[in-house]
Amino acid sequence: MELATHPEQPDMGANGKAEKIAPGKLSAAQYLIALVLVILVAGLWRLQVVSADNFRALAEANRIRKIPVLAPRGKLFDREGRLLVDNYPSVSCYLLREQVRDLNADLPLIAQGLHIPVEQIQSTLRRFQAAPKYEPIPLKQDITPDEQAFIEAHRNELPELETLDEQRRLYPRDGFAAHLIGYVGEISEDDLNKSKYAFYQPGDVVGKSGVEATYDALLRGVDGSRDVIVNSHGKEIGHLGQTLAKPGQDLKLTIDLDIQMAAEKAMEGKTGAMVAMDPHTGEILAMVSRPSFDPNEFSVRLSKSYWNEIINNPDHPLMNKAIQAQLAPGSTFKIIMSYAGLEENAAQTMHVQCSGGASFYGHFFACDKRHGMVDIEHAIPWSCDTFYYTLANKLGIDTIAKYATDLGFSQRTGVDLPDEVTGTMPSTAWKLKNFHEKWYAGEVISVGIGQGAVAVTPIQLARAIGGIASGGALRRPHLVFPDEVPGDELEAVHETFPGSGDKTVQLSTGNWQLITDAMAETTISGTAAAVHMEGIDFAGKTGTAQVVSHSAGMTSLGTGKERANAWFVGMAPRRNPDIVVAVLWEHGGWGAGSAPVAAQVINAFVTKQRRLANNLRIAAETPKPATTASVGSETGNTVASTPKPAANE
């Protein structure tokens, strides 16, 4: 039996009628579909038309790499244009993080090829973790030819490795002039947080000390870049263009290489410092600090062994003692005492009986000799402590402090070097502020001979006594000629390194002559008679600064680290000198021991000046030929022949 077939029946509602979609819902669905289509079309328009250039640039970036071209650092020359600090070509290895596929897997091979521990690479990566991905990370500086060959041979396996040509610092050997020149190094995280380094990036090389630090903005130049085309493996296959690097500015320093060499030789084997300067201008002719260090060790990657060696040295090789060693000046301070006593009209008529010392306020203060009757003219060359004990007691601490402060004590000189210290000049206000105690009259006695709380640096002492010998004119010490530095940069240097600067103090002609004549007598019949130089108007003052108390008859020089510090300040000529030299020999004993050190430098200076003057005189007196055929001239022209000075010694 066949079953009857029926047509498909529509769904029936509860009331038995077919349901229909409401016209309103249908219209809403149509509008929704139309809106989605409009959005899709607008998005395609933005991607394909509006942002086409932007995406094209991003696509180019996938195949174009910007490689930095580092600017060579400016060179340093002495005052006569002789090269002091140069650069040498070097190759460094950088990591390009944009090329990394699986860096952790590559680390063992990279470490093996570059001969560095994996842990060191990981530490470097952590340090640069916050830096933008496009910035290359320095992995190893000054790589060897074998390491360069390794990178080239593994271009496909290690596309993240890139080499970069650089210019690295080449400093004089054996720490020559290291403290005044300074050194460069990779910028630290602490430096990056300072406003001075706001525009620097991790991995940048900056000046860390000395002239390198002070004039870093001029010396470092402006880096350039070059655009290269790379393939999918990061291999360079073409060039697009480049922005040339702007080399750093060369600088001419005020130091004289010949005088610096003489100073280095004179300080050989000693611990301490020396500074030689021209009191007329403040130009530093030589500066030495001992022991020294090798700045070449810092220019690449400082080894842990070398760092431990210098940081654990009790004599502090990194300290520039010419501007940072603040110690009692001993009897060299008697020149400041003489200046104060004469200007106060207290020393002219003083006559003191020296019987090997004197008692003040119930204490006996010793003198190293029994000088008999002493006046101011003999007190300086004989260096009679008893005379200056008496003068100090007569003047009082605040009067002494006034004249010493006028000469720049307890203030920075403003020399263009980082980390200069102020030293100390005690006074009643100073003691109240620092110790909340009153000043006792008996404390001034030891100040009179440069002991007690008085502390100075060699550069302060050279500037002060050079100023007295120049009739009261003091100049700001400096290592770079001002005309080498743009005006705004020079102003910034003066603001960064404030000091007492150029100034003139009151000094009557009679007092000036008395002091300088007495200092000249010191090198003839006084405490520095052993270094008298015939034919050279050489004046000076010795100073023996005891490390332990000088009171209660303790005149022993001591031994080892308790041995007295030996000071000497000398100049030539005695009035309006062309050179003043301050020497600190730590634990050197009697101040007379430092006098030969200064004498060597002054003798080298005077000898050179006379030789140059003689050469100039000969040149002026020798008639020049009208014309002399030029050697190797392509044009056949003739040039005048000019006599040349003799070679520097």
Side-chain angles (χ1 to χ4, degrees), residues 74-260:
K75 300 177 182 179
L76 297 179
F77 299 86
D78 89 326
R79 65 188 300 115
E80 295 179 5
R82 291 171 289 186
L83 185 62
L84 293 173
V85 178
D86 200 358
N87 301 308
Y88 71 91
S90 171
V91 178
S92 295
C93 177
Y94 284 76
L95 177 70
L96 305 175
R97 287 175 289 177
E98 293 175 316
Q99 298 293 332
V100 173
R101 296 163 298 185
D102 185 2
L103 182 58
N104 289 328
D106 291 343
L107 287 186
L109 180 58
I110 294 174
Q112 180 183 357
L114 296 181
H115 304 101
I116 52 179
V118 172
E119 294 77 14
Q120 181 178 316
I121 301 177
Q122 292 172 334
S123 175
T124 302
L125 292 176
R126 285 193 297 269
R127 189 155 55 89
F128 284 84
Q129 190 172 8
K133 289 288 187 181
Y134 61 81
E135 286 187 4
I137 297 177
L139 283 187
K140 188 173 184 181
Q141 302 168 333
D142 212 17
I143 62 176
T144 65
D146 287 345
E147 291 164 345
Q148 293 181 50
F150 164 79
I151 295 171
E152 290 298 325
H154 292 78
R155 282 290 183 190
N156 292 335
E157 300 168 75
L158 303 172
E160 62 265 32
L161 296 186
E162 183 61 82
T163 58
L164 190 64
D165 293 332
E166 297 181 305
Q167 294 283 320
R168 298 214 168 273
R169 268 320 205 205
L170 183 61
Y171 294 104
R173 292 180 300 174
D174 302 322
F176 183 88
H179 292 88
L180 71 92
I181 291 172
Y183 63 91
V184 296
E186 187 177 319
I187 193 168
S188 66
E189 292 182 21
D190 290 339
D191 288 337
L192 288 171
N193 295 324
K194 299 176 183 177
S195 58
K196 176 182 177 182
Y197 300 102
F199 299 102
Y200 289 66
Q201 301 293 332
D204 283 351
V205 174
V206 298
K208 291 287 191 176
S209 70
V211 169
E212 291 276 30
T214 301
Y215 297 96
D216 182 70
L218 295 178
L219 290 168
R220 73 187 310 263
V222 179
D223 293 341
S225 63
R226 61 188 182 93
D227 296 327
V228 299
I229 303 172
V230 295
N231 61 18
S232 59
H233 297 290
K235 186 175 181 181
E236 186 177 318
I237 58 175
H239 300 268
L240 290 180
Q242 65 176 345
T243 301
L244 296 177
K246 180 182 178 182
Q249 179 181 329
D250 296 340
L251 288 179
K252 183 183 290 187
L253 307 187
T254 61
I255 69 167
D256 185 317
L257 183 57
D258 299 314
I259 307 307
Q260 182 70 29

Side-chain angles (χ1 to χ4, degrees), residues 54 101 163 221 256 320 328 333 353 397 546 614 621 644:
N54 181 49
R101 296 163 298 185
T163 58
D256 185 317
N320 184 353
F333 191 73
Q353 180 66 37
I397 188 60
Q546 302 241 345
N614 187 56
E621 294 173 354
K644 296 181 179 180

